[in-house]
Amino acid sequence: MKPVFEKVPKRQWESFHCEVVHGPDYGTRWHFHPEYQLTLAIESRGHRVVGDNIGTLSDGDIVLLGSNLPHVWHQDRGPKARQVSAIIVRFDETFLGRDFFTLPEVEPVKRLLQRAARGLEVRGNTRTAVTDHMKRLAQSEGLARVIELLAILNTLANSTELKPLASASYEPKLESADQGRMERVVDFIHTHLTEEIDRERLAKLAHLSLGAFSRFFHSRTGKTVPEYVNEVRIGRACRMLAEDAGNITDIAMDCGYRNLANFNRRFREVMGTTPSAYRQKFRGVAGQ
């Protein structure tokens, strides 16, 4: 899926953009933009795609994205779906002037932004600290907003609790053409995630031959269609297992697997363990 270019709606009176999201979803498709992005998912259930990485999206998730890194935050749909509550901050390297990142005191932050080229998941105590700063930033105006953003960058730059997401070899083809084609393909996959995903139908939606579509999809995502769909499904299963949401057979069915043996096999391929062992790990953490 080729990401589409997005123009960040920064207003004339602000040096960077902060968006507070409340609604059924994040309102975006898989896209990219030159600005760096920091996303705090205060309340969210689904999955996120960062380059060629697919991860579970849950409450408190924080990710820092580098410039022009394709991404999408996808909220689960359905009758039991929850509303999204999130804070998204986007900024570029010139938001405090063209020479700001050349200052020696800012060198750690400059290295942080270089590392963000793969996307960085924020964990542990760092996540708690950054959450507090982002909530204050969203409620601040003027210089106070800038101070909070600098505090966030300083905290991240000095943290050892950042996990790279996209693989080091990921190099997407970034073109803004064919937006409608990609929107049709992406929407179909996410809407029919619990069903059999027919590659021939995806190819028809993209108006490409099956072979051309397969090459096109892999060149943009670093994955085949079955790999992509399987990782999204397993990510959804991980969240349901961690939440103890039903028995494993029902979870398998809810994630698009027709039999338990296939689910167990695919789960082990992605996670390196069984669904029951994965669930038990979270029960142990919760003291259940």
Side-chain angles (χ1 to χ4, degrees), residues 45-285:
R45 289 290 188 277
H47 62 272
R48 50 169 159 73
V49 182
V50 176
D52 59 354
N53 175 270
I54 301 172
T56 301
L57 186 57
S58 57
D59 295 351
D61 186 78
I62 302 179
V63 170
L64 174 64
L65 299 175
S67 176
N68 290 324
L69 179 60
H71 59 278
V72 67
W73 269 237
H74 182 79
Q75 182 77 353
D76 281 348
R77 301 173 181 175
K80 297 182 180 180
R82 297 172 56 185
Q83 294 281 301
V84 171
S85 176
I87 300 172
I88 303 174
V89 175
R90 302 183 184 94
F91 61 95
D92 59 33
E93 289 188 353
T94 64
F95 83 99
L96 286 179
R98 296 192 177 277
D99 297 328
F100 179 71
F101 282 95
T102 65
L103 298 174
E105 294 86 352
V106 191
E107 181 63 27
V109 175
K110 186 175 181 179
R111 291 196 299 269
L112 167 73
L113 297 182
Q114 291 170 345
R115 293 168 56 202
R118 293 173 57 187
L120 297 171
E121 179 185 356
V122 183
R123 297 182 165 190
N125 293 330
T126 304
R127 188 169 87 166
T128 301
V130 171
T131 296
D132 292 340
H133 282 300
M134 289 193 71
K135 288 181 177 179
R136 287 196 294 269
L137 188 156
Q139 298 173 354
S140 300
E141 297 181 357
L143 183 59
R145 295 173 80 243
V146 177
I147 292 173
E148 291 294 347
L149 179 53
L150 290 176
I152 291 170
L153 294 177
N154 183 61
T155 299
L156 294 175
N158 290 284
S159 174
T160 59
E161 299 175 302
L162 307 181
K163 176 188 175 183
L165 295 176
S167 62
S169 61
Y170 177 68
E171 294 183 3
K173 292 185 177 180
L174 301 178
E175 300 176 17
S176 58
D178 299 326
Q179 178 175 350
R181 171 186 291 171
M182 288 300 99
E183 287 179 353
R184 291 191 298 273
V185 171
V186 171
D187 284 349
F188 184 89
I189 290 176
H190 293 313
T191 302
H192 298 83
L193 190 62
T194 61
E195 306 168 17
E196 291 293 332
I197 304 295
D198 184 0
R199 280 176 288 178
E200 291 188 359
R201 185 165 184 181
L202 294 180
K204 289 179 180 179
L205 287 172
H207 302 300
L208 294 170
S209 68
L210 183 57
F213 173 73
S214 295
R215 292 189 296 272
F216 180 70
F217 189 94
H218 190 273
S219 69
R220 271 67 182 183
T221 66
K223 303 177 187 296
T224 65
V225 171
E227 288 172 341
Y228 180 89
V229 173
N230 188 57
E231 289 191 24
V232 173
R233 286 173 171 169
I234 295 303
R236 178 175 178 176
C238 286
R239 176 181 55 77
M240 296 177 74
L241 289 166
E243 294 173 350
D244 234 0
N247 63 60
I248 292 177
T249 300
D250 289 342
I251 289 174
M253 298 299 176
D254 287 343
C255 293
Y257 295 96
R258 296 295 173 260
N259 64 77
L260 187 59
N262 184 42
F263 172 60
N264 286 334
R265 184 169 58 254
R266 300 303 181 190
F267 193 95
R268 185 183 287 275
E269 288 176 359
V270 175
M271 301 304 299
T273 187
T274 64
S276 58
Y278 185 89
R279 165 176 275 176
Q280 194 61 42
K281 179 181 70 173
F282 279 90
R283 283 178 172 171
V285 171

Side-chain angles (χ1 to χ4, degrees), residues 15-30:
S15 59
F16 65 92
H17 186 65
C18 177
E19 177 183 3
V20 178
V21 178
H22 292 294
D25 55 45
Y26 288 84
T28 60
R29 305 182 190 277
W30 201 28

